[in-house]
Amino acid sequence: DAMVIQNPRYQVTQFGKPVTLSCSQTLNHNVMYWYQQKSSQAPKLLFHYYDKDFNNEADTPDNFQSRRPNTSFCFLDIRSPGLGDAAMYLCATSRGGLVDNYGYTFGSGTRLTVV
Amino acid sequence: GIQVEQSPPDLILQEGANSTLRCNFSDSVNNLQWFHQNPWGQLINLFYIPSGTKQNGRLSATTVATERYSLLYISSSQTTDSGVYFCAVLPGNNRLAFGKGNQVVVIP
């Protein structure tokens, strides 16, 4: 089945130690998104790639960066994780454009713990 | 930006009961989706429903785009229906906007 896959499901990292989360998709969607979700809150968009074009949200901290080396993969890099960065990180994809009959597809998420 | 309001915020159901969740949004949208987030955090797409009515098993959804609301119906609820239900809408800027969710607990 076509899907969005995130690895790992759980990640523990040390305060200040760089960490990378990965996302891959077999849907061949144009757009890939990274969301941060803290406890009892709605997901918050960090940034997205439309093909190779990177779109950062205005309030996303500089500590968060992303790479999309090809259509299938997208990475979230946290350069110096703080305790406040502990959260669920969700990757999503969509076809993009005005005509989209399928909407967004989310991966199963990576739960990040900072110790 | 667009406002998305979900009600009720919290709901406790006896297994077997029916319920309706509501999503109001403040502007016209190109897309509306209902998601279920299970206790493990996975967001599962239930419906892509910018307008009209759809059914999938015990779940159904209706969106009245002209009046800017959507309803999610859960019939004969089961304990596996527990979790948070999110309504999310897509205005013209390609950024999905989420409501705060409906926390549903189904007790046996």
Side-chain angles (χ1 to χ4, degrees):
Chain A
D1 284 342
M3 56 179 61
V4 180
I5 301 167
Q6 291 188 243
N7 285 304
R9 288 293 301 274
Y10 301 92
Q11 175 75 56
V12 180
T13 191
Q14 290 182 327
F15 183 95
K17 184 176 180 181
V19 65
T20 295
L21 310 181
S22 73
C23 177
S24 64
Q25 56 133 340
T26 60
L27 298 161
N28 204 31
H29 280 174
N30 297 317
V31 194
M32 296 187 76
Y33 308 83
W34 279 104
Y35 285 82
Q36 179 193 63
Q37 187 181 23
K38 296 189 176 181
S39 181
S40 301
Q41 296 183 18
K44 177 180 179 299
L45 182 64
L46 295 173
F47 27 58
H48 73 277
Y49 274 95
Y50 199 127
D51 294 326
K52 294 183 179 181
D53 293 333
F54 178 69
N55 298 272
N56 198 28
E57 294 303 296
D59 57 355
T60 298
D62 293 339
N63 198 27
F64 291 86
Q65 303 198 334
S66 186
R67 297 169 282 134
R68 190 179 185 184
N70 53 52
T71 301
S72 301
F73 285 87
C74 195
F75 300 98
L76 169 63
D77 301 309
I78 309 177
R79 291 194 294 186
S80 181
L83 297 179
D85 297 327
M88 172 72 89
Y89 290 88
L90 295 161
C91 174
T93 71
S94 74
R95 290 176 185 251
L98 294 177
V99 179
D100 180 354
N101 296 323
Y102 300 94
Y104 282 44
T105 302
F106 280 82
S108 55
T110 295
R111 192 173 296 278
L112 179 69
T113 301
V114 182
V115 298
Chain B
I2 193 168
Q3 303 299 310
V4 182
E5 296 182 357
Q6 293 185 239
S7 59
D10 301 288
L11 188 62
I12 299 176
L13 296 171
Q14 195 75 43
E15 195 169 29
N18 304 326
S19 67
T20 301
L21 309 178
R22 185 177 179 103
C23 173
N24 293 330
F25 44 98
S26 61
D27 205 346
S28 58
V29 297
N30 297 321
N31 175 15
L32 186 146
Q33 286 182 261
W34 282 97
F35 295 95
H36 177 222
Q37 190 163 42
N38 62 27
W40 296 270
Q42 186 169 4
L43 265 178
I44 298 168
N45 179 46
L46 298 176
F47 295 101
Y48 170 89
I49 186 165
S51 63
T53 297
K54 291 185 178 179
Q55 180 151 9
N56 184 2
R58 296 180 295 102
L59 302 180
S60 63
T62 295
T63 297
V64 183
T66 53
E67 297 186 23
R68 297 179 184 167
Y69 74 88
S70 183
L71 302 174
L72 178 69
Y73 305 96
I74 306 173
S75 65
S76 303
S77 58
Q78 300 177 359
T79 55
T80 52
D81 295 331
S82 296
V84 182
Y85 290 80
F86 284 104
C87 171
V89 301
L90 188 68
N93 63 2
N94 211 38
R95 285 162 171 78
L96 201 63
F98 283 84
K100 292 185 177 181
N102 308 95
Q103 174 79 59
V104 175
V105 176
V106 181
I107 55 176

